[in-house]
Structure formats: C-alpha cells, structure tokens
C-alpha cells in the first residue's frame, strides 16, 4: 500500500512538471511572438516619425526613398535593365515593397534580440537609422539636413523598442519552479505601451502626410493655375493620314497618362513654378544666366511634335512615346550666355543638366545648337507638364536617347567637356553620347495572337528621330521582304506608322520588321542589348493563324 501511494505521488509530481514545462514553453513562445511584434511596432514608429520629419526637411529625404535611391544608384546596369523590362512602370513600387519587407524582417529579428539584450536591440535600430542617414546625405544633391528623418526616426524607435522589451521582461524574484514563468511578465503594461506607440506612430504618419500635402499644395496650385501661352512658332498641322487608326496600333500622339516614365526618383518632385530657377554657367559662358519660369513665358514660345525614346527600350519594347511639346529654344538661351558650339570654336562640348533630385545628364553642345528644336519644355500635349514628366521645366532634344538629353525637373546647366565630367549614367557603363538608333516595332497582331486566314493588317511604328523614316519592310518566316505602306510623315523628329496587308495562311508563322531611315541606312538585324547605347535587332512576333 505504501509503495502504491508513493508511486501515485511521484506520478502526480511528474504530471505537474510536464504541465509546468508546457506552460513555460507557451510563455516563452508568447514572449518571443510579442517581441517580434515589438520590433514591428518600433519599425512602424521609425517610418512614421521619419515621414513627419521629412515633411519639414524634404520628402525625398525619407529613409525608404533614400535607401531605395541608393540601391538604384548601386544596381548593376544589367540588373536595372531587367527590372525596367520585368516590372515596367511598377519597378519603383516593387523596390519600395521589397525594402519594406526587408525592414519588417529586420525589425522582427531586432525585437526578438531585444527580448534578451535590450540595449543591443535598441543599438541595432540606431545602426539601421545611420544607414538611412548615410544614404540620404550621400545622394546626389543631398545635404546634412537630409539625415534628420532617419536619425530622429531611429532614436524614437530605439526608445520604443527598449520600453516594449522591458514590459516583456519577467519580474525579478527567486528562480521560478516549473510552470511559474507563465504570465509573470507585465502583459497589461505591454498592451498599453504597444497600443500607445502604434497609435502615436499612426498619428505622426498621418500628420507627416498632411504636412507633405500642404507643402506640395503650392506646386499643385501653380500647375493648376498655369495657362500655357499661344506659341509664337506653332507646330505644323499633323498631315492627314499620319494616324492610320488601325485597331491595336499605337496612336500617333501618346496620351500623357500612357507616356512611358523611366527615372530614378522614388518620390516625384513637386516644384512651385513661381519659385523655380535655372542657372546657366560654366566653361565658355561669357554672361552667366539665371531665369525663372515667368521669364521663359515672356520669351519666344515654340511648339513641336517630338518622339522620345528610352535607351532601356528592348527591341519591340514600350519605352517610346510621341507628344506635342511647347517651350523655348535652349540654343537661344545659350547664345545669350555667350556660348559657342565646338564647330565655332567654343571650348565646351558637353552640357551637364542637373535635376532637383540629383540626376545629371550630359548632352552634346553641338546637338543642342545645330538647328534642331532642342527646347526647355513647359507643356506636353496641350497641358502643363505632368509632375511625373518634369513640371515645371524639362529638356527635350530630338534625336538623342533620354538619358543624354531629357533632364526632368531641371535646375542647373553647366557647360563643360566630356573629358572633364561623366554624367550619372556614364558612370554606370552607358555611353557618353547616344543618338537614337533606327528601330521599328510590330504593334498588331500581338504575340501569340490567332488571326483568321485571309488579309491580316500587320501594323506598327518606326522611328529614327532627326533622320526620319523612308521605308519599312515586313517578312514572314524568313522569306522575302515586303514593303509596307507608310503613314504620312509629320516630321523627321516623330515616329511613323506603317501597315502591310498580309495574305495570311493557316499555321504558325513568324513576322519580322525592319526600317530604313532618311539617310538610307537600314536597321541592322544583329541582336544587341540595351547597354551601352541602345538595343538593336529586328522585332519579331509569332502568331497562329487558324
């Protein structure tokens, strides 16, 4: 009997220990999960406070934007080109989401670290803030003040994490027996502190958004109130037949909302036209010039149809668009500053245009002053420039890829030489000079389309800005080339539509297109990537006729 009683007591004690261990395990898991939540709350707090501070400094100084643009700056050209092709206009959104996901993982890890080492966890938050500060200050055009959003956000977040981790620390006392750890940390205090921190962070973030909106309101109002002047030199009327109006074919003018956008700005600058200034200075400038937006409005205004193309455009790609631009001739301003092109003895052969976001773009002086309609554009397709396309002023130079000509949000023009200075993209393996190559694209039928046998219109666009298009040819399955019918030419600075009536037969077929420019040079069929100065090759489309 005594032996059986002792056995029951031992079993009861073992059961109690197992239950205690189970409860202790649940307690540890709960504390670990809450620690990870603490890290997320601290990270949210850092971003919210940083957004509030960046509204006072400048929106571009926020840590996500600063780190994101630093990533863009250091991304190899091939990878950057892949991102542009793969994600198109959503490439910046994908980058920002990726940064936020990594930040969330880091925040949870730091929260768990702070559970055992509060000071080390808080220090890790400060280190992350330092990374954001260095990225912000190190951006082209960055200033010491740009470090403030990341620094202030990190300091506040480190304090929040230290506080929350303290609420998860078990109360001091004698070592607990099995099961006593469960519920010993300050649950109520943690919930109160976490809720207060999250609510305060949300409030700071909303206030930051409101402040940013109020700062941008002036820029928005200046654009809304702007009435573009009637041009002194209007664009010729688009000839009848320039737009073939074929279903699936790109329209002759690209609507502003559909116009491609490729730049490095994660935060689109919003500039007040009234406060905008442009400085022209540098090598060979006899009379430095500073002009405001309204100074430009008082000058001779020109209007021109010009097609822009991005050097990142793959063969057959979408990064090209045609618009009617209104602005002032850049060459006139340069001449007033005493600038002479190299062909007339000028010492400078490069214009370095600087944007408010720190971008630098190098353009040949000769190209701007050779008589083409290079301009400081104020309007696009009958309205002031959209913010995403450079409001209030951007450069447009026919015949050159955008990375060597189309500076958006321009604020400074420096005359120098190509030997003395490499602009942003040149430092990243792209060519110093890049005239647009002769290219063509099939818009319809689309790849893997299934047209019916019979006459199928094969149509698209071809471009060779500042040289024009003289011929387009199409072939099927590697056979003979057939001349396409060209739409009427608007100008040699715009793309040109074309169509070929294909007598389609059943089966799988490959269509190819090539163009010949105004100089008689035919587009090469040799495939090359976009780096260093634009892709080459014939665009092809495979279809199944059935």
């Amino acid at each position: 009997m005594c032996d059986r009683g002792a056995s029951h007591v031992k079993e009861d004690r073992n059961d109690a220990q197992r239950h205690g261990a189970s409860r202790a395990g649940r307690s540890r898991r709960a504390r670990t999960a809450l620690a990870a939540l603490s890290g997320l709350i601290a990270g949210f707090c850092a971003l919210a406070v940083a957004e509030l501070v960046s509204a006072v400094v400048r929106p571009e100084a926020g840590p996500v934007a600063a780190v994101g643009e630093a990533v863009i700056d250091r991304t190899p050209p091939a990878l950057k080109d892949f991102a542009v092709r793969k994600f198109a206009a959503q490439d910046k959104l994908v980058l920002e989401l990726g940064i936020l996901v990594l930040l969330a993982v880091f925040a949870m890890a730091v929260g768990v670290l702070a559970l055992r080492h509060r000071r080390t966890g808080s220090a890790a938050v400060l280190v992350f803030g330092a990374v954001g500060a260095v990225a912000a200050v190190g951006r082209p055009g960055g200033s010491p003040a740009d470090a403030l959003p990341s620094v202030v956000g990190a300091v506040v977040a480190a304090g929040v994490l230290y506080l929350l981790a303290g609420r998860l620390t078990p109360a001091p006392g004698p070592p607990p027996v099995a099961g006593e750890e469960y519920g010993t940390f300050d649950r109520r205090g943690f919930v109160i502190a976490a809720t207060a921190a999250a609510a305060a962070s949300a409030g700071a973030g909303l206030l930051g958004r409101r402040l940013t909106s109020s700062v941008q309101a002036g820029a928005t109002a200046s654009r809304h109130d702007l009435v573009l002047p009637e041009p002194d030199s209007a664009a010729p009327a688009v000839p009848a037949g320039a737009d073939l109006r074929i279903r699936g074919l790109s329209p002759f003018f690209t609507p502003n909302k559909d116009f491609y956008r490729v730049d490095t700005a994660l935060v689109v600058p919003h500039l007040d036209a009234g406060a905008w200034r442009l400085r022209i200075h540098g090598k060979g400038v006899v009379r430095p010039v500073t002009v405001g937006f309204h100074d430009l409005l008082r000058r001779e205004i020109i209007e021109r149809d010009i097609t822009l193309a991005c050097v990142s455009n793959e063969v057959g790609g979408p990064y090209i668009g045609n618009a009617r631009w209104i602005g002032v001739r850049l060459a006139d301003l340069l001449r007033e500053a005493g600038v002479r092109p190299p062909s007339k003895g000028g010492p400078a052969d490069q214009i370095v245009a600087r944007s408010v976001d720190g971008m630098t773009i190098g353009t040949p002086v000769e190209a701007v002053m050779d008589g083409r309609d290079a301009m400081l554009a104020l309007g696009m397709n009958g309205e002031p420039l959209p913010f995403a396309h450079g409001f209030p002023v951007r450069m447009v130079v026919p015949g050159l890829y955008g990375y060597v000509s189309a500076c958006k949000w321009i604020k400074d023009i420096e005359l120098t030489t190509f030997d003395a200075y490499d602009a942003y993209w040149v430092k990243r393996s792209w060519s110093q000079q890049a005239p647009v190559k002769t290219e063509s694209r099939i818009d319809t039928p689309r790849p893997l389309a299934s047209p019916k046998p019979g006459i199928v219109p094969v149509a698209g666009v071809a471009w060779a800005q500042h040289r024009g298009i003289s011929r387009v040819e199409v072939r099927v399955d590697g056979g003979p080339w057939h001349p396409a019918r060209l739409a009427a030419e608007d100008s040699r600075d715009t793309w040109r539509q074309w169509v070929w009536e294909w007598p389609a037969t059943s089966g799988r077929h490959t269509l190819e297109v090539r163009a010949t420019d105004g100089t008689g040079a035919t587009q090469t069929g040799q495939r090359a990537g976009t780096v260093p100065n634009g892709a080459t090759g014939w665009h092809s489309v495979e279809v199944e006729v059935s």
Side-chain angles (χ1 to χ4, degrees), residues 39-63:
L40 284 176
I41 292 173
F44 176 50
C45 179
L47 293 180
V49 171
E51 180 156 2
L52 176 59
V53 178
S54 66
V56 178
V57 178
R58 62 176 185 133
E60 296 85 354

Side-chain angles (χ1 to χ4, degrees), residues 93-329:
L93 176 61
V94 171
L95 174 60
E96 289 179 310
L97 290 176
I99 291 173
L100 290 174
V101 169
L102 290 177
L103 176 61
V105 172
F106 174 83
M108 289 189 291
V110 168
V112 174
L113 173 65
L115 184 62
R116 292 184 177 275
H117 307 284
R118 290 170 69 188
R119 291 181 180 178
T120 303
S122 297
V125 175
L126 295 177
V127 169
F128 194 79
V131 171
V134 170
V137 174
R139 281 285 295 154
S143 69
D146 289 346
L148 286 176
S150 294
V151 170
V152 175
V155 169
V156 174
V160 168
L161 182 61
Y162 191 84
L163 172 66
L164 294 178
R167 294 294 184 269
L168 293 174
T169 302
V177 296
E180 286 189 358
E181 185 183 19
Y182 182 75
T184 58
F185 65 89
D186 186 3
R187 282 177 172 272
R188 183 171 180 274
F190 175 82
V191 172
I192 293 174
T195 302
S201 299
L206 290 173
L207 179 59
R209 289 286 177 93
R210 180 158 295 188
L211 286 176
T212 299
S213 297
S214 66
V215 170
Q216 294 177 346
T220 303
S222 71
R223 183 180 182 274
H224 179 269
D225 296 340
L226 176 61
V227 177
L228 293 174
E230 290 295 321
D232 300 292
S233 174
V238 176
D243 194 335
L244 297 176
R245 302 184 184 281
I246 295 172
R247 185 175 182 180
L249 175 62
S250 300
F252 181 71
F253 284 119
T254 308
N256 289 354
K257 65 180 179 62
D258 298 328
F259 209 94
Y260 77 91
R261 179 195 165 203
V262 177
D263 54 54
T264 63
L266 289 182
V267 178
V268 174
H270 282 62
L271 307 179
D272 189 321
W276 176 86
R277 296 291 183 274
L278 172 69
R279 185 168 72 115
I280 300 176
H281 61 104
K283 196 177 183 69
V285 174
V286 179
R287 296 170 294 278
V289 172
T290 298
V291 295
F293 188 80
H294 294 288
D295 297 324
L296 296 183
L297 292 179
R298 288 190 288 269
R299 301 180 66 86
E300 181 186 12
I301 301 295
I302 64 171
E303 180 185 60
R304 297 292 184 267
D305 299 338
I306 299 171
T307 296
L308 297 187
C310 179
V311 74
S312 294
N313 204 34
E314 288 283 347
V315 172
Y319 301 121
I320 181 168
N322 187 50
R324 174 159 289 189
W325 307 90
I326 187 170
V328 301
R329 289 189 181 89

Side-chain angles (χ1 to χ4, degrees), residues 341-423:
S343 61
K344 295 185 178 179
D349 61 6
Q350 178 180 207
I351 291 170
V352 176
R354 289 183 171 84
S355 167
V356 298
D357 73 335
M359 175 57 62
T360 56
I361 286 180
T363 308
V365 175
E366 198 69 51
V368 171
M369 303 186 74
D370 67 0
R372 72 184 74 192
D373 291 312
M375 69 168 79
L376 294 175
L378 315 175
M380 179 181 181
N381 287 333
E383 64 176 83
L385 291 171
F387 286 111
H389 292 289
F391 182 85
V393 182
R394 68 173 294 167
M395 272 178 60
V396 172
V397 183
L400 304 181
Y401 283 117
Y403 86 100
V404 293
S405 65
C407 184
K408 296 188 283 191
W409 314 295
I410 189 171
K411 70 169 186 177
D412 185 272
I413 287 178
E414 180 183 3
L415 277 295
T416 183
T417 64
F418 284 106
D419 288 338
Y421 185 83
D422 285 337

Side-chain angles (χ1 to χ4, degrees), residues 453-465:
I455 300 300
V456 175
V458 180
V461 289
W463 60 93
Q465 292 93 307

